[in-house]
């Protein structure tokens, strides 16, 4: 269950704790423009609010789903301009799903090949090993 408690004036370490995101990663996302520059106190401390928390969670979840930085940037651009439609989001995310399905297919092929190779191995204490032969081929 997601917390919806308004937050004002979080420091970077608190934003990190709240989202589970490493402080250096937050700094990186700011440097590349995925996170907006937060306002600062008179002493120069950054102060993050609930919009920063939501945006960082969006970025983190997007990364968990395998989206690249440029893909996330494109999605955030639509959100920031407040002009996104479900059709546009679907258009931008369908190619990513196709890539994931292709990777799954490749991994299944690799799994079958490795399983066949391992099945050829006697498992005995002999120097000849079909696994090494297959890797050297």
């Amino acid at each position: 269950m997601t917390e919806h408690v308004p937050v004002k004036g979080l420091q970077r370490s608190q934003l990190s704790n709240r989202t589970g995101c490493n402080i250096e990663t937050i700094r990186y996302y700011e440097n590349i423009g995925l996170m907006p520059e937060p306002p600062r106190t008179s002493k120069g401390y950054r102060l993050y609010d609930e919009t920063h928390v939501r945006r960082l969670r969006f970025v983190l979840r997007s990364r968990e789903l395998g989206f690249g930085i440029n893909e996330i940037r494109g999605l955030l651009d639509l959100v920031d301009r407040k002009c996104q439609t479900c059709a546009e989001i679907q258009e931008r995310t369908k190619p990513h799903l196709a890539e994931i399905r292709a990777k799954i297919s490749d991994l299944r092929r690799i799994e079958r090949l490795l399983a066949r190779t391992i099945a050829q191995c006697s498992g005995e204490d002999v120097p000849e090993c079909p696994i090494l032969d297959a890797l050297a081929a």
Side-chain angles (χ1 to χ4, degrees):
M1 187 170 176
T2 305
E3 235 178 13
H4 294 291
V5 178
V7 176
K8 292 188 180 181
L10 290 174
Q11 293 179 355
R12 190 179 278 157
S13 62
Q14 293 169 311
L15 178 64
S16 173
N17 289 336
R18 178 138 172 169
T19 61
C21 184
N22 183 291
I23 290 173
E24 291 303 316
T25 304
I26 295 170
R27 189 174 289 132
Y28 170 70
Y29 289 153
E30 288 173 355
N31 288 338
I32 64 170
L34 288 184
M35 290 290 294
E37 182 71 25
R40 293 179 183 250
T41 66
S42 59
K43 295 186 180 189
Y45 292 108
R46 290 170 179 83
L47 290 179
Y48 300 91
D49 61 20
E50 186 64 31
T51 60
H52 293 98
V53 172
R54 282 193 307 271
R55 188 173 185 103
L56 183 55
R57 285 184 175 152
F58 181 98
V59 171
L60 293 172
R61 184 66 179 139
S62 298
R63 295 296 289 151
E64 285 176 4
L65 292 173
F67 286 98
I69 297 297
N70 287 333
E71 292 169 311
I72 296 169
R73 186 175 279 120
L75 292 171
L76 286 171
D77 183 54
L78 288 175
V79 172
D80 290 345
R81 290 187 291 133
K82 296 177 177 33
C83 67
Q84 78 275 3
T85 65
C86 194
E88 286 176 300
I89 301 299
Q90 185 182 57
E91 182 182 318
R92 288 180 183 239
T93 56
K94 272 186 172 181
H96 182 64
L97 178 59
E99 289 175 23
I100 289 171
R101 287 179 172 157
K103 287 178 184 179
I104 290 170
S105 177
D106 286 345
L107 287 171
R108 287 187 177 132
R109 182 185 53 76
I110 292 167
E111 177 191 28
R112 287 189 302 272
L113 179 61
L114 186 56
R116 278 196 308 266
T117 304
I118 290 172
Q120 294 173 6
C121 183
S122 69
E124 297 177 11
D125 289 335
V126 295
E128 298 82 23
C129 180
I131 297 171
L132 292 178
D133 292 342
L135 293 174

